[in-house]
């Protein structure tokens, strides 16, 4: 698949978080390969599992992929340390069991290029699954974070209030960010977030302190 503005993806790094889920990692890397474009990928892997088969090793050894091994002790340190190698203008976190749509990433980058007061851009989330009914395999889906809207208040304290009050729905944990601030956010998360629960909200608060968030009307993840 060729995008009209696929050049935008050269300015982006996708950061994949993996812990003991090599089958999911293989599936995700194959997914991005189907687009026929060498997307910059950083794999932060804290797995102790040694079962990296030949296919996965071949995928991880592609020239567009950086594969880093980390201790599993601190989730936030793994991100903060692992993203320091990123040299692209934009970055995005991607869980190993999710799929971000490249065409939506292009839309996010194009938006951020035109709106310097926004730090984060993302789109709409869909959850999907397979289930059995009448001896047949069925496909089900539903929107996630259906109340999620852009958070573009002029004052940062108003953006943070809307976020923590769930008035803006969802959060920007997996949104496209400007890399310079993306690195700063995770360095400060390591420094100030003392537990996993707060650690998930803290980078979202920092993101909204440093800039606005845009939710585009596109299928994103």
């Amino acid at each position: 698949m060729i995008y009209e503005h696929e050049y935008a993806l050269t300015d982006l790094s996708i950061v994949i978080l993996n812990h003991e889920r090599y089958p999911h990692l293989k599936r995700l890397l194959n997914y991005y390969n189907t687009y026929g474009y060498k997307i910059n990928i950083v794999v932060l892997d804290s797995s102790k599992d040694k079962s990296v088969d030949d296919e996965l090793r071949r995928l991880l050894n592609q020239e567009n992929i950086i594969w880093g091994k980390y201790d599993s002790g601190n989730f936030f340190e793994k991100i903060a340390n692992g993203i320091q190698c990123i040299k692209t203008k934009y970055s995005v976190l991607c869980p190993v069991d999710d799929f971000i749509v490249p065409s939506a990433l292009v839309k996010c980058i194009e938006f951020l290029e035109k709106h310097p007061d926004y730090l984060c851009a993302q789109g709409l989330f869909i959850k999907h699954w397979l289930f059995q009914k009448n001896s047949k395999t069925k496909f089900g889906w539903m929107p996630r974070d259906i109340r999620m809207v852009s958070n573009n208040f002029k004052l940062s304290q108003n953006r943070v209030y809307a976020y923590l009050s769930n008035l803006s729905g969802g959060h920007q944990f997996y949104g496209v960010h400007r890399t310079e601030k993306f690195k700063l956010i995770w360095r400060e998360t390591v420094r100030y977030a003392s537990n996993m629960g707060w650690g998930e909200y803290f980078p979202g608060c920092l993101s909204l302190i440093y800039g606005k968030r845009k939710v585009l009307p596109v299928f994103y993840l």
Side-chain angles (χ1 to χ4, degrees), residues 56-191:
L56 180 54
R57 193 171 298 279
R58 176 182 57 79
L59 291 168
L60 289 168
N61 286 334
Q62 295 177 98
E63 62 181 3
N64 58 303
I65 294 180
I66 297 174
W67 178 28
K69 294 288 291 183
Y70 298 87
D71 293 335
S72 59
N74 190 308
F75 172 76
F76 310 121
E77 284 185 0
K78 182 171 76 169
I79 298 175
N81 294 333
I83 64 177
Q84 295 308 308
C85 67
I86 294 176
K87 297 179 180 179
T88 55
K89 188 175 181 179
Y90 299 100
S91 303
V92 62
L93 287 180
C94 180
V96 75
D97 55 352
D98 284 350
F99 304 93
I100 303 180
V101 181
S103 59
L105 292 171
V106 171
K107 295 291 186 183
C108 291
I109 293 170
E110 290 176 341
F111 178 86
L112 292 173
E113 283 287 301
K114 297 175 182 177
H115 300 86
D117 53 333
Y118 282 79
L119 176 60
C120 171
Q122 58 198 124
L124 305 176
F125 291 27
I126 302 294
K127 178 182 180 181
H128 63 88
W129 63 92
L130 298 177
F131 63 96
Q132 296 291 323
K133 185 175 182 180
N134 299 325
S135 300
K136 294 183 178 180
T137 300
K138 300 289 186 177
F139 176 80
W141 68 276
M142 63 180 293
R144 287 184 57 195
D145 297 327
I146 57 177
R147 295 178 57 201
M148 189 166 70
V149 295
S150 298
N151 195 332
N152 53 11
F153 292 101
K154 184 177 181 180
L155 297 178
S156 60
Q157 57 263 42
N158 292 341
R159 297 195 295 268
V160 173
Y161 176 81
Y163 169 50
L164 293 179
S165 303
N166 201 31
L167 298 177
S168 60
H171 61 73
Q172 54 274 22
F173 202 82
Y174 300 120
V176 176
H177 281 76
R178 302 180 190 277
T179 296
E180 181 180 358
K181 283 293 191 292
F182 186 68
K183 291 179 178 180
L184 175 61
I185 285 168
W186 285 103
R187 287 198 304 268
E188 294 188 339
T189 297
V190 170
R191 184 176 180 183

